[in-house]
Amino acid sequence: MISESGLPCSRPRSSTNRRRRRLIAQEKVFKIAIHQGQNKYWSSDGEKQRLLEPGGKLWRLRKTNPQAKEQKGSEGKRQILEKKKAADDIIRAASSQKDHLSSFPQYRHYRTNGLSVYLGSGLGDKLSFHLKQYIQKLLKVNMEGPYGSEWPTEEKVKRKEMVAPEARYIFVYEDTNVDGSQISSMPENEKSSSHTDAIVGFVHYRFIMEEEVPVLYVYELQLESRVQGKGLGKFLMDLVERIAIKNRVGAVMLTVQKKNLLAMNFYMAKLGYIVSAISPSRVYPLTGLETSYEILCKAFEAKSAFEESQ
């Protein structure tokens, strides 16, 4: 269209365009309130405007209710805090127990395949000197080979881990005509002086948080070679899993050296553990990052964060 002056000009604005401009101006001035359950936005002057579907030709209001957003955010934070508190309470309650074996008297002794042993409990910060010496010696015998050149560094780490206050132990004693409940009830110094020579293995475990989920983490399962291959390891892991379930944690987790093929086969083929979703081989599958270990798990909840589809 040409104006009287001969210069080009735009087409006259239609009523739709004028309405669009008015609504834009209103949006800058008025606060828009959402009436939930209706496909409408209401302006402060009471005028109703239909919210069109995406792709509609008319101008679309896109404001959201700040108060609704804030309420939704607050609710989400509250749920997260409640979930964290519940998980912390589970860890605190499980860790406060001094003797988890007391709930499983049927696991106090194991007599199978010519092997007769009793179990007793222990605490990391209550270990006697003799028990510490035994743990260090057995760790070196069993783990120096799989760790290889990493062992000197790893040994220092394990020495600190074994005496931590949160460390929980199950000790395996050869049958010396002493009942398992008597061993467990003995003071640590008396227990070690009377029965250190009879110890043939131990389990070190803790209750910790992994990916915001309370779990029982097996730090060590160590047995002397003369009692291996007789079902004792499976017996101990079955006990550990029962302790985990009773204390309402989401999974049992542990770390295994890849070079320790016997251990990898034991946990995965015989006990049904899988490589955890947080294991380095799962977290960095495309980076080529190589680690010497795998994190394995057995979850007790459906769709656990640790057992995502592989």
Side-chain angles (χ1 to χ4, degrees), residues 28-180:
K28 294 180 180 178
V29 176
F30 301 121
K31 293 181 178 179
I32 305 298
I34 298 175
H35 285 237
Q36 297 182 352
Q38 302 181 33
N39 193 29
K40 294 181 179 180
Y41 283 76
W42 296 68
S43 62
S44 59
D45 65 353
E47 180 175 317
K48 301 177 183 179
Q49 298 297 335
R50 173 71 59 180
L51 175 62
L52 300 179
E53 294 297 325
K57 294 183 179 180
L58 295 181
W59 181 75
R60 180 182 179 187
L61 291 174
R62 296 181 182 273
K63 282 287 183 179
T64 57
N65 187 348
Q67 186 176 2
K69 276 188 174 181
E70 184 177 348
Q71 291 175 349
K72 186 177 181 180
S74 299
E75 179 67 16
K77 291 179 180 179
R78 184 182 65 80
Q79 292 177 354
I80 291 173
L81 291 175
E82 288 181 352
K83 184 177 179 181
K84 184 178 185 304
K85 182 180 183 302
D88 290 340
D89 288 344
I90 289 175
I91 295 293
R92 190 177 301 108
S95 300
S96 66
Q97 298 183 44
K98 305 303 181 183
D99 181 14
H100 292 107
L101 281 173
S102 61
S103 299
F104 304 96
Q106 69 274 28
Y107 280 85
R108 285 289 186 185
H109 52 80
Y110 178 80
R111 296 186 179 97
T112 306
N113 297 324
L115 181 65
S116 180
V117 298
Y118 293 99
L119 306 184
S121 298
L123 304 175
D125 57 352
K126 301 295 184 181
L127 297 177
S128 68
F129 173 78
H130 295 290
L131 280 174
K132 292 177 185 177
Q133 290 289 97
Y134 176 81
I135 292 171
Q136 292 175 12
K137 179 181 177 181
L138 186 56
L139 280 171
K140 182 178 178 65
V141 170
N142 286 354
M143 302 308 298
E144 187 174 18
Y147 275 104
S149 61
E150 298 177 5
W151 175 245
T153 301
E154 193 64 29
E155 184 178 28
K156 295 178 181 178
V157 174
K158 290 183 179 296
R159 285 183 178 181
K160 292 181 180 180
E161 290 176 343
M162 74 177 188
V163 295
E166 59 271 24
R168 297 291 178 268
Y169 283 90
I170 299 171
F171 290 107
V172 184
Y173 300 88
E174 277 189 307
D175 185 0
T176 55
N177 297 319
V178 177
D179 185 82

Side-chain angles (χ1 to χ4, degrees), residues 87-304:
D88 290 340
D89 288 344
I90 289 175
I91 295 293
R92 190 177 301 108
S95 300
S96 66
Q97 298 183 44
K98 305 303 181 183
D99 181 14
H100 292 107
L101 281 173
S102 61
S103 299
F104 304 96
Q106 69 274 28
Y107 280 85
R108 285 289 186 185
H109 52 80
Y110 178 80
R111 296 186 179 97
T112 306
N113 297 324
L115 181 65
S116 180
V117 298
Y118 293 99
L119 306 184
S121 298
L123 304 175
D125 57 352
K126 301 295 184 181
L127 297 177
S128 68
F129 173 78
H130 295 290
L131 280 174
K132 292 177 185 177
Q133 290 289 97
Y134 176 81
I135 292 171
Q136 292 175 12
K137 179 181 177 181
L138 186 56
L139 280 171
K140 182 178 178 65
V141 170
N142 286 354
M143 302 308 298
E144 187 174 18
Y147 275 104
S149 61
E150 298 177 5
W151 175 245
T153 301
E154 193 64 29
E155 184 178 28
K156 295 178 181 178
V157 174
K158 290 183 179 296
R159 285 183 178 181
K160 292 181 180 180
E161 290 176 343
M162 74 177 188
V163 295
E166 59 271 24
R168 297 291 178 268
Y169 283 90
I170 299 171
F171 290 107
V172 184
Y173 300 88
E174 277 189 307
D175 185 0
T176 55
N177 297 319
V178 177
D179 185 82
S181 60
Q182 293 177 323
I183 292 177
S184 183
S185 62
M186 288 181 181
E188 290 296 330
N189 58 347
E190 182 181 340
K191 185 187 303 182
S192 61
S193 61
S194 300
H195 299 283
T196 298
D197 292 339
I199 298 177
V200 293
F202 67 91
V203 181
H204 167 195
Y205 64 97
R206 303 185 191 185
F207 294 95
I208 65 172
M209 295 288 288
E210 284 285 354
E211 299 295 307
E212 301 181 354
V213 176
V215 304
L216 185 156
Y217 209 108
V218 179
Y219 275 59
E220 306 289 348
L221 169 53
Q222 303 293 342
L223 297 175
E224 294 185 17
S225 58
R226 61 194 177 95
V227 298
Q228 294 178 14
K230 299 185 179 182
L232 181 56
K234 187 177 184 299
F235 176 80
L236 291 170
M237 286 304 297
D238 185 56
L239 170 59
V240 165
E241 290 171 13
R242 289 175 182 269
I243 292 173
I245 293 171
K246 180 174 178 58
N247 286 275
R248 301 186 298 122
V249 299
V252 171
M253 303 185 70
L254 50 93
T255 302
V256 182
Q257 290 297 112
K258 291 179 179 179
K259 292 181 179 179
N260 196 342
L261 299 180
L262 289 177
M264 291 289 289
N265 180 70
F266 170 71
Y267 289 112
M268 300 185 72
K270 294 185 178 180
L271 301 186
Y273 281 71
I274 66 171
V275 177
S276 171
I278 65 172
S279 190
S281 65
R282 296 282 305 281
V283 177
Y284 311 108
L286 302 178
T287 62
L289 178 65
E290 287 291 334
T291 57
S292 61
Y293 64 92
E294 292 281 13
I295 298 174
L296 307 183
C297 74
K298 180 183 285 187
F300 307 123
E301 299 177 353
K303 297 181 180 180
S304 168

